[in-house]
């Protein structure tokens, strides 16, 4: 079976993520140690115990990446053919790890620094993101353009589900306008950083420098959030990943572009994309979140 590997992004974190892997597998324990050493943080405490750090961007990102990386390492020995890796937002960095573009320690350092750069861009302003349900893309795009507000489309998740990013006060102003135009639901998210919009421009150049330091020259195919097309070289990554901060995530476009290249999708370290995929494709998406689901997915592929 040809498998498209999927990796969730920020917002999928929860206390207890990865604990079943850690308790059951020496490889998982080893990867926790590598991550902890990389940024001098106790990842067991970060991911298994109630704490405030798990929801801080600079720690959320490495925690999610570690969870997905462990799921991938335990899954990769299954009998399947690799089609491509596709991550949603932060998940693109997990996808790069799975594709052999970056070592685990460097990936942890990279997304930790990415989180800090994103926070720094919002030191003097308050950003946020907002989910809009029930309107077509063009209608929302036109509303954003005509509003004159600092608000942009950020995540094209599925038909009828688009996430906006921008200044919190501007998103709040846009909420009644979207409802008047027929949105079924408009929900402001509890975030202070607006991802995938021009407000993160200041983080792009420093991120490129980090990517240049950490990425390998060639790797397996990864589908870009920016272009919805696959790439497999450092040169391409250095063009795409810095602007990924300021450009929208073309998730549904990516699935539609590559669904025929895979017989099945496997989401590593979450179930969020499985839910979104039901609205995009008829291809099945199976999640790997613990040892039981790992065994179930492997049995499905090998059966």
């Amino acid at each position: 079976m040809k498998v498209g590997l999927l990796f969730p992004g920020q917002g999928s974190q929860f206390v207890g993520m990865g604990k079943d892997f850690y308790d059951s597998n020496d490889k998982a324990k080893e990867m926790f140690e590598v991550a902890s050493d990389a940024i001098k943080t106790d990842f067991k405490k970060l991911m298994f115990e109630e704490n405030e750090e798990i929801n801080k961007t600079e720690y959320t990102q490495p925690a999610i990446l570690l969870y997905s990386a462990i799921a991938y390492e335990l899954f990769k020995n299954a009998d399947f053919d690799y089609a491509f890796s596709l991550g949603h937002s932060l998940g693109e960095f997990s996808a790069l790890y799975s594709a052999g573009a970056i070592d685990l320690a460097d990936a942890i350092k990279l997304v930790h620094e990415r989180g800090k750069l994103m926070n720094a861009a919002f030191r003097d302003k308050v950003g946020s993101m907002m989910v809009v349900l029930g309107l077509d893309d063009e209608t929302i795009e036109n509303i954003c353009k005509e509003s004159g507000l600092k608000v942009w489309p950020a995540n094209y998740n599925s038909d009828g589900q688009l996430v906006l990013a921008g200044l919190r006060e501007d998103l709040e102003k846009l909420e009644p306008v979207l409802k008047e135009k027929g949105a079924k639901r408009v929900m402001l998210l509890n975030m202070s950083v607006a991802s995938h919009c021009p407000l993160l421009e200041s983080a792009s150049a420093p991120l490129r420098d980090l990517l240049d330091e950490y990425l390998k020259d060639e790797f397996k195919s990864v589908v870009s959030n920016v272009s919805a097309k696959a790439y497999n070289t450092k040169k391409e990554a250095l063009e795409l990943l810095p602007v990924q901060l300021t450009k929208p995530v073309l998730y549904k476009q990516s699935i539609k572009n590559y669904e025929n290249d895979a017989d099945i999708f496997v989401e590593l370290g979450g179930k969020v994309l499985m839910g979104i995929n039901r609205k995009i494709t008829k291809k099945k998406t199976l999640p790997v979140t613990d040892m039981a689901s790992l065994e179930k997915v492997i049995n499905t592929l090998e059966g």
Side-chain angles (χ1 to χ4, degrees), residues 49-299:
E49 300 176 16
E50 291 291 342
N51 66 93
E52 295 181 0
E53 304 295 299
I54 188 66
N55 292 316
K56 293 181 179 178
T57 301
E58 65 266 39
Y59 294 105
T60 307
Q61 295 194 27
I64 292 171
L65 187 144
L66 176 61
Y67 185 30
S68 287
I70 291 170
Y72 167 73
E73 287 295 335
L74 300 184
F75 170 74
K76 74 176 185 180
N77 295 322
D79 185 15
F80 74 95
D81 288 331
Y82 176 98
F84 55 81
S85 289
L86 167 60
H88 188 291
S89 188
L90 164 71
E92 187 166 349
F93 292 84
S94 305
L96 286 162
Y97 171 78
S98 76
I102 188 169
D103 295 332
L104 180 61
D106 288 344
I108 295 293
K109 292 175 189 174
L110 176 62
V111 298
H112 179 58
E113 291 300 322
R114 180 177 182 264
K116 290 198 286 187
L117 289 169
M118 292 170 71
N119 272 336
F122 284 89
R123 278 189 186 137
D124 59 351
K125 51 187 174 283
V126 180
S128 193
M129 302 185 79
M130 189 163 69
V131 180
V132 183
L133 301 179
L135 286 177
D136 64 88
D137 296 344
E138 187 176 0
T139 297
I140 298 173
E141 290 163 355
N142 288 336
I143 290 171
C144 291
K145 287 177 185 175
E146 293 166 7
S147 71
L149 301 171
K150 292 188 182 297
V151 174
W152 300 268
N155 298 338
Y156 289 85
N157 287 339
S158 63
D159 291 341
Q161 183 186 130
L162 198 156
V163 179
L164 302 180
L167 294 178
R168 175 176 282 273
E169 61 181 359
D170 285 357
L171 288 167
E172 289 172 345
K173 290 175 185 175
L174 207 62
E175 188 171 347
V177 178
L178 291 161
K179 289 179 178 177
E180 287 171 14
K181 291 291 185 179
K184 292 180 180 177
R185 190 178 183 193
V186 181
M187 182 173 62
L188 193 66
L189 301 178
N190 184 24
M191 301 175 69
S192 59
V193 172
S195 301
H196 307 293
C197 75
L199 297 175
L200 282 174
E201 182 63 42
S202 63
S204 291
L207 179 62
R208 190 187 189 283
D209 291 340
L210 291 168
L211 291 161
D212 194 26
E213 178 182 352
Y214 290 133
L215 290 183
K216 298 176 183 176
D217 290 337
E218 295 182 354
F219 40 87
K220 293 180 182 177
S221 291
V222 174
V223 180
S224 166
N225 284 181
V226 172
S227 67
K229 296 179 180 178
Y231 64 99
N232 61 3
T233 67
K234 178 178 179 177
K235 181 181 178 182
E236 293 168 293
L238 290 177
E239 294 174 0
L240 293 165
L241 290 168
V243 297
Q244 192 232 39
L245 287 169
T246 60
K247 300 290 186 182
V249 173
L250 303 182
Y251 182 76
K252 71 174 181 181
Q253 295 91 332
S254 298
I255 291 292
K256 289 176 180 178
N257 282 351
Y258 289 94
E259 64 180 336
N260 291 331
D261 290 10
D263 299 308
I264 195 168
F265 296 105
V266 175
E267 182 177 358
L268 295 157
K271 296 181 179 179
V272 175
L273 301 180
M274 177 178 69
I276 293 174
N277 276 12
R278 291 193 185 108
K279 301 174 183 177
I280 307 173
T281 178
K282 293 181 179 179
K283 296 282 177 73
K284 186 178 287 187
T285 303
L286 301 177
V288 174
T289 57
D290 53 23
M291 296 303 292
S293 58
L294 172 66
E295 184 178 359
K296 183 177 180 180
V297 172
I298 290 174
N299 287 341

